[in-house]
Amino acid sequence: MSIKQYRLTDSLIFAAILVVFELILHYALIAYSGAFTFSPLVPIVVLVIMRWGWQGVFYAVGDGILFCLLKGAGWQSYVSFGVGNAFIMVLLLAVKFVGKDKIAGKWYFSTLFVAAGWLLVAFGRTVVATCCGMDFVGTLVVQLSDPSSLLSLAMAVIIILVMRRFDGMFEDQKNYLKRLERERKEKMERDNFGDEPIEIDEETMSILKRHNDLD
């Protein structure tokens, strides 16, 4: 499988996970008449950004559109959730200047990364809603204090802290594949060590023989 094929397959899998999660949570909320739920948006987008970079932004926009479709929302909500969710692209600056290895290497950096993504989504939705005539402060307070939003943050942190413990899950995939190839070659070299015959000249043989005789 080429890197392009692997990337496409991996991207489709995460897209399917995001859609299935949204559908399950939406209809579970209806079936059980729940007061609030959580969104898989932030953990999925954060994972995709860490694995592939900028294409994670498309997941954020797509999730916003899907959410509005399921809710039967008006056009203002489509703009607010679609464009607002795209503010999570600011995380790409953290990836560039802090580095994926550092973000994934320490649990507190991973937690801050997730929390920043959650805040960016809330702030983005608020900015867009304000452009559509909503009150900025009131909308931001609602975005940050809503039980579903707080639960989404808690679940996002838990999911990422669990995922980062699996090898290669919370890691740049190009670097991950290179590391696997390097480890495979190193293992082959270790396994093949001693298989090749070693030529010993006569002088060395005589020294070994005298040494054996002394023993």
Side-chain angles (χ1 to χ4, degrees):
M1 181 182 293
S2 67
I3 184 67
K4 290 183 179 180
Q5 291 173 326
Y6 176 75
R7 181 172 185 162
L8 177 61
T9 303
D10 191 71
S11 300
L12 290 175
I13 289 173
F14 275 95
I17 291 173
L18 182 60
V19 171
V20 169
F21 258 93
E22 284 288 8
L23 290 173
I24 290 174
L25 293 171
H26 173 74
Y27 288 109
L29 183 67
I30 295 174
Y32 296 101
S33 302
F36 55 88
T37 184
F38 71 93
S39 170
L41 164 68
V42 173
I44 295 297
V45 172
V46 165
L47 278 170
V48 175
I49 287 177
M50 283 292 291
R51 292 169 74 87
W52 298 111
W54 58 267
Q55 74 180 59
V57 179
F58 292 104
Y59 287 72
V61 175
D63 183 81
I65 294 173
L66 176 61
F67 177 81
C68 293
L69 283 172
L70 293 173
K71 296 294 184 181
W75 68 269
Q76 294 94 339
S77 294
Y78 278 91
V79 176
S80 178
F81 281 83
V83 179
N85 287 359
F87 274 57
I88 203 170
M89 70 173 65
V90 178
L91 287 182
L92 296 172
L93 295 176
V95 168
K96 180 177 180 179
F97 293 107
V98 178
K100 291 182 179 181
D101 291 340
K102 193 171 184 179
I103 292 171
K106 302 292 184 180
W107 69 268
Y108 45 86
F109 279 129
S110 300
T111 301
L112 287 173
F113 193 65
V114 174
W118 176 78
L119 285 171
L120 286 167
V121 168
F123 180 74
R125 291 173 179 174
T126 301
V127 169
V128 177
T130 302
C131 294
C132 294
M134 302 290 289
D135 175 64
F136 179 83
V137 176
T139 304
L140 184 60
V141 169
V142 171
Q143 287 287 332
L144 297 179
S145 62
D146 181 70
S148 294
S149 181
L150 293 174
L151 180 59
S152 296
L153 172 61
M155 293 301 299
V157 171
I158 292 172
I159 291 171
I160 294 302
L161 291 181
V162 172
M163 289 296 101
R164 65 186 291 275
R165 299 180 67 87
F166 293 93
D167 185 40
M169 182 61 70
F170 197 56
E171 182 179 352
D172 182 272
Q173 291 304 284
K174 291 182 179 179
N175 293 339
Y176 172 63
L177 294 174
K178 290 178 181 177
R179 178 168 63 83
L180 287 183
E181 180 64 16
R182 184 170 61 253
E183 291 175 353
R184 185 186 67 82
K185 289 181 179 180
E186 289 175 354
K187 184 177 183 302
M188 289 181 61
E189 290 177 357
R190 290 195 300 268
D191 291 343
N192 293 332
F193 181 76
D195 290 351
E196 296 295 329
I198 301 175
E199 295 185 1
I200 303 178
D201 55 34
E202 293 183 2
E203 182 179 356
T204 304
M205 285 293 295
S206 62
I207 294 173
L208 290 173
K209 184 177 181 181
R210 286 198 300 271
H211 184 272
N212 290 334
D213 291 341
L214 290 174
D215 291 342

